Amino acid sequence: MPTYRNMMLLAPSYLRELLGKAFAHIDVPAEHAVVLEGSIAEGFGNDASDIDYLVITPGDRIQPTMPTILFIDGRRVEVRMRSAEQIRAQLDTLRTTAARDVGRVSDDLLNRCQRFVNCYPLVNEPFIERLREPLPPAELQDITARWFEHQTRPAYGFAAAMRLLGEPRYAELAERTALARAAKSWLSRQGETYLDFKWLSPQFARAPGGAEVAAEYGELIAGTPSPQAVGGFLTRLGLGADARLDRLELRRRRGVTTWQLGSRVHVVRGRAEIFALSDRAARVWRSLPFGVPLERALAQGPGVTGPLIAFFHRLGLVELRWRGGPVLPGCGSHTPTPATVLPLLALDGLLLVDGDRGTDVTGDVALAPTPARRFAACGMALIWGNLGVENAREDLVGAIGLDQEGTATAASLRMVRSACQSVIAAYGVDPQPPIEEAPLVVARMPHVDPAVAARAVELSAFLLRHGFGALPGGIGELDEFTLLVRRATRCEFPSTFVSAEGWGSTLDIGYDWVRLGAYLDSAFPVEEARDLLASGGAQPATRAEGAPAAAGSAR
């Protein structure tokens, strides 16, 4: 049992008096037990500390985790309720999980069990003691010590990796984390199992031999400790950590795939999120040799490789790990600010903020603010919107040549509407509205170039009322609108139906997006897009130049 019951800041008589006042405001079952838990129960605390009561009810009814918070006698009082069976289950889960792999013990579970084992009984103490029997204090101390030790070594290894990768500030933070975790592991062996770090000093003061350890720890924390000094402290506490850099490896991350959209490299994480890489980040990404020592990977890479690899690790796009060991901390712990450039995407994918990036790598990776499936659907819709413009223009040219006014008006309207659909897609909107409504939707979208929005409504209204023949500028006026849209959406789309080269460029652009859309199971704008996927980006039923014609073909 804890030896500091007589060190509590508040007398048991006052705690019971305060409990009675709290019970005047809440419903409590007739049969119950009550304990005080937390910092005051463990002999810490001050006048501002809250009073944590835990009411334990018999049986197995699931009680809510959220406490009732009251303010009594100038203090904040928290009253939690839990059934006896809930407590038994938590203690059993902690013991069995820690026996298999202490690293899988959650801090929430360990904290709840630690607070209960070290609680101060106020009501029905015999019942409380029976509940605590399955997890003796010695076993709790061992679990807590091993839990902190499990966190210490990876933090120290992460620090070594960050120094190698040219991220000294991350390394120093990780070394301080390793020092604190090591201190808590050692204190747990001495019986000081309280998890929170805020009472570290009084824990040192109470622990046998704590003054010497506290002095060394304080000296290290007060300065900028060297890796050797941190390693020495860990070794003296019995937590020696291996940080040999030749054992540090760069590994692929499961569920991460690479996609080229035009000239821009994109990375999809878990089929859910999509990132765009700057040109220099793409060069590093394409050069990464996986499964080799990190030192060799750095030697082979272009400039700023180290900080970018560290950033890729924090994004969860690659893994840093010791050979034969677990992934280092921080993997997948970070996500960049979602891209705020509008329009959102162009033919090459997600648009990035332009400018000199210097040595800061955080701007080298941008997160699409839409789900990956929607992003791919918008990209395909952007292609098909522009393709619709080109196709409508071809129909318009033919109709003008034969004075087909009705056909010309229909084609010109489709040209305007398809251009508007490309705008809607570029801004990340999916699904698309009906094509007839596209100009009105564009006019109401925030952040769209006002000139584009106004002209879209004017042109579509004029063509509906007066027809193409009355358009003062004729096809040139429509071409000007198309140019205005493509400048606003940063889309330099090829003249699809003018030459074989233009058609080939269109197929190449479309194929990149269709592949990504198929991988993510995105909505296809038209079923013909699937044919492009099946043909590998080529026209169906074509043969290589110079190849003999198939039997039965025209000659």
Side-chain angles (χ1 to χ4, degrees):
M1 295 301 299
T3 60
Y4 37 78
R5 287 190 175 187
N6 295 329
M7 301 172 62
M8 288 198 304
L9 180 68
L10 301 175
S13 58
Y14 174 71
L15 292 171
R16 291 188 174 91
E17 177 186 341
L18 200 63
L19 178 64
K21 294 179 179 179
F23 278 6
H25 298 278
I26 59 177
D27 292 326
V28 179
E31 295 185 25
H32 62 266
V34 183
V35 302
L36 178 75
E37 58 180 11
S39 57
I40 291 181
E42 301 209 31
F44 307 128
N46 51 46
D47 290 339
S49 298
D50 55 325
I51 312 299
D52 298 317
Y53 293 115
L54 176 64
V55 178
I56 304 169
T57 62
D60 57 2
R61 180 180 177 182
I62 302 299
Q63 300 288 355
T65 301
M66 181 177 177
T68 298
I69 298 179
L70 305 169
F71 296 89
I72 305 173
D73 292 354
R75 285 188 172 275
R76 192 181 79 183
V77 177
E78 293 192 7
V79 181
R80 297 179 187 271
M81 298 185 70
R82 203 171 305 152
S83 71
E85 186 55 38
Q86 281 180 288
I87 291 177
R88 292 190 187 97
Q90 287 177 335
L91 296 177
D92 181 65
T93 300
L94 175 62
R95 296 181 72 237
T96 55
T97 305
R100 292 194 301 266
D101 183 358
V102 75
R104 293 186 178 275
V105 174
S106 71
D107 55 351
D108 180 71
L109 175 64
L110 181 56
N111 184 53
R112 292 185 187 281
C113 293
Q114 190 277 335
R115 288 164 68 92
F116 177 69
V117 171
N118 283 5
C119 70
Y120 185 89
L122 291 171
V123 178
N124 202 346
E125 182 173 353
F127 180 65
I128 300 301
E129 296 303 337
R130 288 195 299 272
L131 275 179
R132 287 200 284 203
E133 285 177 359
L135 185 61
E139 186 174 356
L140 173 67
Q141 293 167 19
D142 176 70
I143 291 173
T144 308
R146 290 190 294 115
W147 187 76
F148 277 116
E149 180 180 350
H150 181 83
Q151 298 176 332
T152 301
R153 290 194 175 96
Y156 182 60
F158 180 72
M162 290 301 103
R163 290 197 181 278
L164 177 63
L165 294 171
E167 290 282 18
R169 289 180 297 179
Y170 280 93
E172 184 179 338
L173 288 174
E175 285 160 355
R176 290 177 176 275
T177 297
L179 288 170
R181 289 338 186 239
K184 293 292 281 188
S185 178
W186 181 85
L187 284 166
S188 296
R189 295 288 183 197
Q190 317 312 311
E192 294 289 342
T193 58
Y194 190 76
L195 296 191
D196 202 306
F197 289 84
K198 61 185 176 182
W199 304 116
L200 198 59
S201 295
Q203 283 186 299
F204 273 130
R206 293 195 316 206
E212 181 181 350
V213 177
E216 183 177 2
Y217 174 78
E219 184 177 346
L220 289 169
I221 290 295
T224 303
S226 67
Q228 294 76 18
V230 175
F233 180 75
L234 267 57
T235 299
R236 283 188 287 280
L237 296 188
L239 284 81
D242 182 6
R244 288 169 45 202
L245 296 181
D246 62 332
R247 296 183 58 247
L248 186 61
E249 293 182 339
L250 179 66
R251 294 280 186 174
R252 294 184 184 276
R253 181 75 167 167
R254 185 185 298 274
V256 173
T257 54
T258 305
W259 300 84
Q260 186 91 23
L261 298 174
S263 62
R264 177 73 66 205
V265 173
H266 294 71
V267 179
V268 175
R269 183 175 69 182
R271 294 179 180 260
E273 297 170 304
I274 189 161
F275 303 84
L277 307 185
S278 70
D279 290 342
R280 73 172 180 179
R283 286 193 297 272
V284 171
W285 180 261
R286 290 295 198 187
S287 72
L288 293 180
F290 292 104
V292 303
L294 184 57
E295 289 178 305
R296 190 192 309 173
L298 286 172
Q300 296 176 6
V304 298
T305 296
L308 274 169
I309 290 177
F311 192 38
F312 292 154
H313 174 79
R314 293 196 299 277
L315 292 175
L317 304 182
V318 300
E319 291 179 350
L320 297 173
R321 62 168 71 215
W322 299 111
R323 189 181 309 126
V327 179
L328 291 183
C331 187
S333 64
H334 182 73
T335 294
T337 302
T340 56
V341 177
L342 288 174
L344 176 67
L345 54 90
L347 301 182
D348 286 348
L350 186 67
L351 290 171
L352 301 181
V353 177
D354 298 326
D356 181 16
R357 302 183 192 282
T359 58
D360 183 16
V361 299
T362 56
D364 282 284
V365 183
L367 171 66
T370 64
R373 289 181 63 187
R374 180 180 297 168
F375 180 84
C378 288
M380 291 188 289
L382 176 68
I383 302 298
W384 258 258
N386 279 283
L387 191 60
V389 171
E390 296 297 315
N391 183 254
R393 190 184 190 282
E394 182 188 37
D395 290 345
L396 177 58
V397 170
I400 292 172
L402 295 177
D403 292 326
Q404 296 171 331
E405 172 62 19
T407 301
T409 296
S412 59
L413 271 170
R414 187 158 64 92
M415 194 172 170
V416 173
R417 291 165 173 172
S418 295
C420 289
Q421 284 190 312
S422 73
V423 173
I424 293 169
Y427 279 78
V429 178
D430 176 75
Q432 286 262 339
I435 188 171
E436 296 82 7
E437 299 175 6
L440 294 178
V441 171
V442 166
R444 296 181 177 184
M445 287 173 60
H447 310 298
V448 169
D449 185 339
V452 171
R455 194 66 181 129
V457 173
E458 291 170 2
L459 273 175
S460 58
F462 183 91
L463 291 170
L464 283 170
R465 291 193 186 97
H466 308 292
F468 173 77
L471 192 64
I475 194 171
E477 201 166 338
L478 295 172
D479 286 340
E480 288 178 4
F481 176 67
T482 299
L483 182 61
L484 180 66
V485 166
R486 288 179 175 172
R487 283 176 177 170
T489 57
R490 306 187 191 185
C491 282
E492 296 183 9
F493 203 79
S495 298
T496 304
F497 300 107
V498 173
S499 66
E501 182 182 1
W503 177 238
S505 297
T506 303
L507 289 177
D508 290 341
I509 296 168
Y511 182 58
D512 287 345
W513 281 101
V514 166
R515 286 179 61 244
L516 178 61
Y519 172 72
L520 296 170
D521 196 25
S522 300
F524 279 68
V526 292
E527 280 304 306
E528 289 175 348
R530 296 187 186 275
D531 297 334
L532 185 61
L533 180 69
S535 67
Q539 299 186 86
T542 57
R543 60 187 175 91
E545 186 175 347
S553 63
R555 294 182 182 274

